[in-house]
Amino acid sequence: MFPAPQRDNRTNPRFASQPVDWRDTLSAAKDACTVTSTTSFTPRLEVRHVQLLRAGFAALAAAMVTFSADHSAPLGLSVFSGFAIATALVLILAAWLTYPSGARAPIVTQAVFTLIAGMVAGLGGFRTPVMLFSVLIAWALITGFIEAISGWRNPRPRTPDARDALTIGIITMLLGLVLIAVTFFQPQPYSVEGHDFVLTSTIIAVGIFGGYAAVIAVFLAIAGFSPRRPELTGNDVDASADASTNDTASAADAATAPNASRDNA
């Protein structure tokens, strides 16, 4: 028996190769993978400006505590009141001028708690050591937690601004924890050049707050003056995708050209 003849599929219309338009295919794939972007937000006040404003008020508070011989509860509460109210006003201003509508909740919440703490600390008739510890500890733990969480929840890789917020939040919470430990400090008498003094937990707390303000001022000043890497906008992403699509289409056309020549031959 003779073997059955082989059928040439190229002569059969059903198996004839159809030309493929790679541009249409890649364009459809691009449309399917395109992520719908929200309306772009242009900040009128950059994050670096907010950091520098906060650094200025923190430096002022640190200087007032450092160059004051009186580290009593009234002085500590008065300095903290001015620092907290000024910082709250900066945060409220930044909420509308720096951050888009979907990212304003953490900074507004932080501003509200800071403003309340500053107003309570400004009550002249209640500037006692108990009020000093209560206001500072509550403010530090609450606002520090809010700022740390806002930086932690930023999608990875985190931006420098998110890392700065996380660091400031952690330092602020450490302030609250240290002040809790200071409440257990027992008064210690000491003398200088024949003069007797008593080192109390209130003096230590006011000094620690001044040190905290100095650290925050330096950190925020460095963060504010640090150069920023330009971020990609939606137009830049679209342009990059178009260029990549065109390059892929050109490579596909170049690869199919020899195959078409062989078919014609």
Side-chain angles (χ1 to χ4, degrees):
M1 296 180 64
F2 297 96
Q6 298 294 328
R7 183 177 299 175
D8 190 358
N9 291 334
R10 289 180 297 179
T11 61
N12 193 329
R14 293 184 303 170
F15 297 95
S17 60
Q18 299 295 332
V20 179
D21 191 347
W22 291 96
R23 297 181 186 276
D24 293 341
T25 304
L26 293 174
S27 178
K30 175 191 171 184
D31 294 339
C33 297
T34 300
V35 178
T36 304
S37 59
T38 58
T39 304
S40 60
F41 173 80
T42 303
R44 287 172 287 178
L45 185 69
E46 296 184 5
V47 177
R48 65 167 66 229
H49 300 148
V50 178
Q51 293 174 335
L52 292 176
L53 288 174
R54 293 180 63 184
F57 290 121
L60 184 60
M64 294 179 66
V65 172
T66 302
F67 297 103
S68 176
D70 180 18
H71 281 190
S72 62
L75 176 88
L77 285 171
S78 62
V79 173
F80 172 77
S81 176
F83 162 77
I85 292 176
T87 302
L89 294 178
V90 171
L91 295 176
I92 293 174
L93 183 66
W96 272 266
L97 299 181
T98 305
Y99 298 94
S101 59
R104 291 173 181 169
I107 192 170
V108 170
T109 306
Q110 181 183 352
V112 169
F113 280 105
T114 303
L115 182 61
I116 292 175
M119 295 178 66
V120 172
L123 299 176
F126 299 93
R127 291 179 176 176
T128 61
V130 176
M131 177 64 71
L132 173 70
F133 281 99
S134 301
V135 172
L136 285 180
I137 291 174
W139 169 81
L141 294 179
I142 294 174
T143 60
F145 178 77
I146 294 173
E147 192 163 11
I149 288 297
S150 65
W152 176 263
R153 293 182 60 185
N154 193 276
R156 296 187 179 183
R158 295 187 180 90
T159 61
D161 298 333
R163 292 194 294 268
D164 294 339
L166 178 61
T167 303
I168 294 296
I170 292 175
I171 294 176
T172 305
M173 286 191 295
L174 287 178
L175 170 66
L177 296 177
V178 171
L179 290 177
I180 292 176
V182 172
T183 57
F184 298 98
F185 180 81
Q186 299 297 326
Q188 299 292 332
Y190 67 99
S191 61
V192 177
E193 296 180 353
H195 299 281
D196 295 332
F197 302 94
V198 178
L199 181 63
T200 63
S201 58
T202 301
I203 297 176
I204 297 176
V206 175
I208 291 175
F209 170 71
Y212 160 81
V215 171
I216 293 300
V218 173
F219 184 88
L220 288 175
I222 294 175
F225 285 113
S226 299
R228 258 45 171 191
R229 182 176 300 177
E231 298 181 359
L232 291 177
T233 61
N235 294 331
D236 296 334
V237 174
D238 293 339
S240 177
D242 291 338
S244 178
T245 301
N246 294 333
D247 294 341
T248 307
S250 300
D253 291 340
T256 55
N259 294 332
S261 300
R262 287 197 299 269
D263 292 339
N264 293 332

